[in-house]
């Protein structure tokens, strides 16, 4: 499956004094546990990556990126052919309950689905199947540039993000640049969309401040909604007191990684294998 997977370094830079302390502490922790990391000062960042920052940064060479949407759709196609996977799109589930025999789901057109187990992996829309609110909705903004000559991009095409909140992130997609961030608490889609022009200008300005030698002209801009949790971790597993309805909710801004962890944990539990990570990511930490 070719989902444009690409190994790239990542740079996590300090936006201010608070950020300096954060990356210094993060550096110490990573070194203590023998994780690969370099600590770069402000001068090294500018010399090696053309970046103008308040202070230094952490450099990690074990990072990567892929097209998550492309990966998901290609995986579906693979298992439709290999394992006869059935997919029912545009099927709205209005209720999901556990019974002594398994699970029973109702659809919008009043059909009933019965099965042994259910796995809910629907992002923030999964909230309707939970007895309590466990996440906060956040609006986020992004833009992608017109094609840029490779020689004008920063060396190694590193993934870039900062310590500030709200933060910005920068990465490449082929010979285009994607910038995102400027998150806001979600109110409603209309209020979110009305901020798009203002947020686009702010993101462009921050990019030009960070990488002044790199040309950037936005071709497309958009905004969306995602979920965050108080501790930044996802929720994986069953709600306390239930056994058959599993949740794989990669909240916290690291959905690709957390969703993979969730797939491993839930797969183990369905096969009767113990997985100690279920306690780290489970609902028990808030119940």
């Amino acid at each position: 499956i070719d989902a444009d997977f690409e190994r790239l370094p990542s740079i996590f830079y300090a936006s201010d004094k608070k950020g300096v302390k954060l990356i210094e502490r993060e550096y110490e922790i990573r070194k203590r546990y023998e994780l690969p990391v370099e600590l770069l000062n402000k001068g090294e960042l500018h010399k090696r990556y053309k970046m103008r920052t308040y202070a230094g940064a952490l450099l990690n060479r074990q990072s990567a990126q892929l097209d998550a949407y492309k990966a998901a759709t290609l995986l579906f196609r693979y298992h439709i052919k290999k394992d006869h996977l059935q997919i029912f799109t545009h099927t709205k589930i209005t209720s999901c309950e556990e019974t002594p025999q398994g699970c029973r789901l109702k659809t919008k057109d009043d059909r009933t689905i019965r099965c042994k187990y259910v796995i809910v992996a629907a992002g923030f829309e999964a909230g309707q199947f939970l007895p309590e609110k466990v996440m906060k909705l956040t609006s986020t903004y992004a833009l992608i540039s017109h094609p840029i000559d490779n020689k004008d991009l920063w060396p190694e095409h590193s993934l870039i993000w900062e310590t500030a909140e709200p933060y910005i992130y920068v990465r490449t997609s082929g010979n285009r640049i994607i910038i995102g961030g400027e998150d806001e608490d979600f109110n409603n889609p209309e209020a979110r969309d009305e901020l798009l022009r203002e947020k686009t200008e702010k993101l462009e300005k921050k990019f030009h401040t960070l990488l002044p030698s790199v040309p950037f002209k936005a071709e497309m801009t958009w905004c969306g909604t995602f979920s965050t949790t108080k501790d930044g971790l996802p929720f994986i597993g069953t709600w306390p007191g239930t056994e058959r309805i599993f949740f794989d909710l990669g909240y916290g801004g690291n959905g690709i990684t957390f969703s993979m962890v969730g797939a491993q944990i839930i797969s183990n539990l369905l096969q009767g294998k113990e997985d100690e990570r279920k306690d780290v990511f489970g609902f028990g930490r808030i119940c």
Side-chain angles (χ1 to χ4, degrees), residues 236-248:
I236 299 168
T238 58
W239 188 267
T242 64
E243 298 179 350
R244 295 181 178 275
I245 302 175
F246 290 85
F247 292 87
D248 188 359

Side-chain angles (χ1 to χ4, degrees), residues 202-259:
K202 285 185 177 180
L203 287 170
E204 286 182 326
K205 184 176 179 180
K206 286 185 176 182
F207 177 83
H208 290 304
T209 300
L210 178 66
L211 290 157
S213 65
V214 179
F216 183 96
K217 185 178 181 182
E219 180 171 8
M220 184 181 294
T221 64
W222 65 96
C223 50
T225 302
F226 70 100
S227 300
T228 58
T229 57
K230 287 184 178 180
D231 58 9
L233 295 178
F235 284 107
I236 299 168
T238 58
W239 188 267
T242 64
E243 298 179 350
R244 295 181 178 275
I245 302 175
F246 290 85
F247 292 87
D248 188 359
L249 309 177
Y251 299 150
N254 296 290
I256 295 175
T257 304
F258 287 151
S259 294

Side-chain angles (χ1 to χ4, degrees), residues 36-213:
V37 65
E38 291 179 53
L39 183 61
L40 304 181
N41 61 37
K42 182 178 178 179
E44 289 172 321
L45 269 179
H46 184 248
K47 183 177 180 180
R48 289 166 62 172
Y49 296 101
K50 304 181 181 180
M51 293 174 58
R52 293 190 181 277
T53 60
Y54 173 85
L58 298 182
L59 173 64
N60 173 19
R61 294 192 174 278
Q62 298 299 315
S63 301
Q65 68 177 13
L66 58 74
D67 184 329
Y69 180 82
K70 191 174 181 181
T73 52
L74 288 173
L75 281 168
F76 283 145
R77 289 179 186 176
Y78 173 83
H79 287 290
I80 287 170
K81 184 176 181 180
K82 179 178 179 292
D83 302 313
H84 307 293
L85 173 72
Q86 290 181 285
I87 297 175
F88 298 87
T89 63
H90 301 84
T91 304
K92 184 175 178 62
I93 303 298
T94 56
S95 68
C96 176
E97 61 178 334
E98 189 169 308
T99 70
Q101 294 76 35
C103 299
R104 182 170 58 235
L105 296 82
K106 286 283 188 181
T107 69
K108 186 179 180 181
D109 58 354
D110 205 30
R111 295 176 185 269
T112 300
I113 301 169
R114 290 182 175 86
C115 52
K116 191 173 182 181
Y117 297 101
V118 169
I119 301 171
V120 181
F124 67 84
E125 293 180 317
Q128 64 180 301
F129 304 118
L130 290 165
E132 295 179 21
K133 183 179 178 181
V134 300
M135 46 72 178
K136 182 180 75 171
L137 295 181
T138 303
S139 298
T140 191
Y141 301 84
L143 42 152
I144 188 168
S145 73
H146 284 277
I148 295 170
D149 195 311
N150 269 317
K151 67 178 176 59
D152 293 326
L153 294 172
W154 57 98
E156 301 182 81
H157 301 183
S158 303
L159 311 173
I160 301 169
W161 60 303
E162 64 172 331
T163 59
E165 292 287 349
Y167 64 88
I168 68 163
Y169 63 85
V170 180
R171 69 177 184 88
T172 56
S173 176
N175 61 342
R176 298 173 185 263
I177 299 169
I178 294 176
I179 311 170
E182 274 296 311
D183 301 344
E184 292 274 354
D185 288 345
F186 178 83
N187 292 312
N188 57 62
E190 290 76 20
R192 177 197 64 197
D193 295 352
E194 284 177 3
L195 288 172
L196 183 56
R197 183 181 295 276
E198 176 187 332
K199 293 296 185 177
T200 296
E201 292 174 356
K202 285 185 177 180
L203 287 170
E204 286 182 326
K205 184 176 179 180
K206 286 185 176 182
F207 177 83
H208 290 304
T209 300
L210 178 66
L211 290 157
S213 65

Side-chain angles (χ1 to χ4, degrees), residues 5-32:
F5 180 86
E6 187 177 8
R7 292 192 180 277
L8 295 169
S10 67
I11 295 172
F12 182 40
Y13 70 90
S15 311
D16 47 30
K17 287 183 179 180
K18 184 179 178 181
V20 172
K21 292 180 180 179
L22 191 154
I23 65 168
E24 288 176 346
R25 180 171 179 271
E26 183 76 14
Y27 177 75
E28 291 174 3
I29 293 171
R30 293 191 190 194
K31 293 297 287 185
R32 186 188 312 157

